Amino acid sequence: MNMNRVPLILWILASCTVADTSSDSLGLMPPDVPESWHPIIGEYASGSDTVSVLEEDGSLVLLFWGGARLQLSASTNGAFETDSNVMVEMVADASGRTEMLLVDGQAFTRLSLGAEDGGTFRITPIRAPEELLIEALAASPPEEDGDFRPADLAELVALDSTILLDIRYATTNNFMGEIFYSEPRAFLQRPAAEALVRAHHWLGEQGYGLLIHDGYRPWYVTKMFWDATPEELRVFVANPATGSRHNRGCAVDLTLYDLEMGTPVTMTGGYDEMSPRSYPDYPGGTDRQRWHRELLREAMEAQGFSVYEAEWWHFDYNDWPSYRIGNERFEQLGMG
């Protein structure tokens, strides 16, 4: 990821509105793209100009960020051309992956916005995690006034064992490369947990299930995330001064898995990827990736969740203001 480009990229996309995703608009799952297109699809930059090559309605499209969309058609010399007489040539590396576009001779170099080829997005923490842990455990959540419901955290797999877990923060396979949870478990306040199970059952009728990355998150972990993340990327982490909806047990990070294959589906970007591909309305990728992203959103919104504006995988339950910020570790919850 080119960290120097992130503020501009986020500024371009932050004002996007999230598109409507009714079941009528989804229709049938689109076919996958030809294998030869996968090494081409992606984001490219030339100075302050950025373009995406994406798939839409069975065609490759060249999208100028904030500008024109040009459909690409293969020409006789192996390049692509558009109906605007713009010639686009692909320059590939030894593996066949396109690393540069020549758009009428202007060179656009591939942007590495996040985790490539299924890898895990990483940041370089601005402070040492060991130091942040000591500070976070010594600190206290913000004081809150009001009447709150008593916490009633339910363990998701206890409600339905077919919900799968990939709790990244119980491993080093996360954006900081540190272990934050002593146990790979996921909890939500009971009304949210029961709503999630209903979404999971509905998805089962479509051939999919839910794969959970995170649910309830102790406040001290939120503080560590915030204090470790560079300021220009903090749109992707919660401010501990106000707390996270994860801290209240009313937010969940998740994706889809294919019931037949038992494997996660491919979305437009990876989990915890701090890039524009994480926005729930990001137009890049393929029709199939965007279709899966909208299927997840439809299932969750039908049960009272709403998607976070900067993360396609993050959903907040509508009852979150009813619960106080929590800071208990998993081993303190007293659940089997």
Side-chain angles (χ1 to χ4, degrees):
M1 183 183 199
N2 185 337
M3 303 295 285
N4 293 328
R5 296 187 57 84
V6 169
L8 173 62
I9 292 169
L10 296 183
W11 179 83
I12 290 171
L13 291 173
S15 61
C16 292
T17 56
V18 179
D20 175 65
T21 58
S22 66
S23 55
D24 292 339
S25 68
L26 283 177
L28 297 176
M29 181 177 69
D32 202 0
V33 301
E35 192 66 29
S36 60
W37 289 7
H38 285 289
I40 301 172
I41 292 171
E43 296 77 25
Y44 303 82
S46 176
S48 60
D49 298 325
T50 306
V51 298
S52 293
V53 177
L54 57 101
E55 182 257 343
E56 188 174 73
D57 297 329
S59 298
L60 284 177
V61 172
L62 182 68
L63 171 65
F64 291 82
W65 287 19
R69 304 169 73 92
L70 304 177
Q71 184 170 316
L72 298 177
S73 302
S75 67
T76 55
N77 63 357
F80 289 82
E81 57 187 9
T82 74
D83 53 8
S84 301
N85 297 320
V86 174
M87 186 63 65
V88 181
E89 299 176 73
M90 313 294 180
V91 180
D93 61 16
S95 69
R97 182 172 182 263
T98 300
E99 291 297 323
M100 181 182 295
L101 302 180
L102 297 176
V103 182
D104 271 354
Q106 182 179 357
F108 287 77
T109 304
R110 180 182 285 272
L111 284 175
S112 181
L113 292 180
E116 303 295 339
D117 301 322
T120 301
F121 177 86
R122 306 279 190 183
I123 68 167
T124 300
I126 59 177
R127 295 176 59 196
E130 299 82 2
E131 173 186 325
L132 296 177
L133 175 61
I134 294 171
E135 286 189 9
L137 290 176
S140 298
E143 294 186 7
E144 299 181 283
D145 295 325
D147 295 325
F148 296 97
R149 295 182 185 176
D152 183 18
L153 291 170
E155 190 159 13
L156 298 181
V157 294
L159 298 182
D160 192 316
S161 61
T162 64
I163 294 173
L164 298 187
L165 300 182
D166 179 15
I167 308 301
R168 301 288 184 87
Y169 303 137
T171 74
T172 58
N173 185 27
N174 56 63
F175 76 102
M176 281 181 59
E178 298 287 332
I179 295 176
F180 297 93
Y181 299 160
S182 61
E183 302 168 326
R185 302 166 74 184
F187 306 87
L188 288 176
Q189 300 293 351
R190 191 165 301 276
E194 292 172 347
L196 183 137
V197 170
R198 291 193 296 271
H200 176 67
H201 291 170
W202 181 83
L203 284 165
E205 299 173 1
Q206 326 303 318
Y208 299 93
L210 290 176
L211 173 66
I212 310 299
H213 291 307
D214 197 23
Y216 162 72
R217 179 184 304 160
W219 176 85
Y220 80 90
V221 176
T222 293
K223 179 170 172 55
M224 290 183 68
F225 288 175
W226 178 265
D227 291 342
T229 301
E231 185 173 353
E232 66 270 18
L233 295 177
R234 283 182 171 172
V235 66
F236 296 104
V237 292
N239 189 336
T242 54
S244 165
R245 293 165 193 181
H246 280 288
N247 305 150
R248 302 178 190 275
C250 286
V252 61
D253 295 344
L254 75 177
T255 189
L256 299 175
Y257 76 92
D258 185 288
L259 287 180
E260 182 178 356
M261 302 297 293
T263 55
V265 303
T266 302
M267 299 292 190
T268 54
Y271 172 60
D272 262 359
E273 179 180 306
M274 297 182 183
S275 92
R277 296 192 304 201
S278 297
Y279 282 77
D281 58 347
Y282 185 61
T286 70
D287 277 342
R288 177 175 284 196
Q289 291 169 355
R290 295 188 297 272
W291 185 89
H292 279 127
R293 184 184 65 189
E294 302 309 328
L295 179 68
L296 173 63
R297 184 176 169 206
E298 179 175 340
M300 295 297 288
E301 288 190 341
Q303 300 301 332
F305 290 87
S306 58
V307 69
Y308 175 52
E309 62 184 7
E311 297 172 345
W312 61 259
W313 61 82
H314 176 124
F315 289 84
D316 297 315
Y317 191 59
N318 58 17
D319 214 16
W320 67 266
S322 300
Y323 295 93
R324 188 182 297 277
I325 291 171
N327 200 25
E328 294 82 8
R329 297 193 188 193
F330 290 174
E331 57 268 30
Q332 296 174 314
L333 295 178
M335 300 179 183

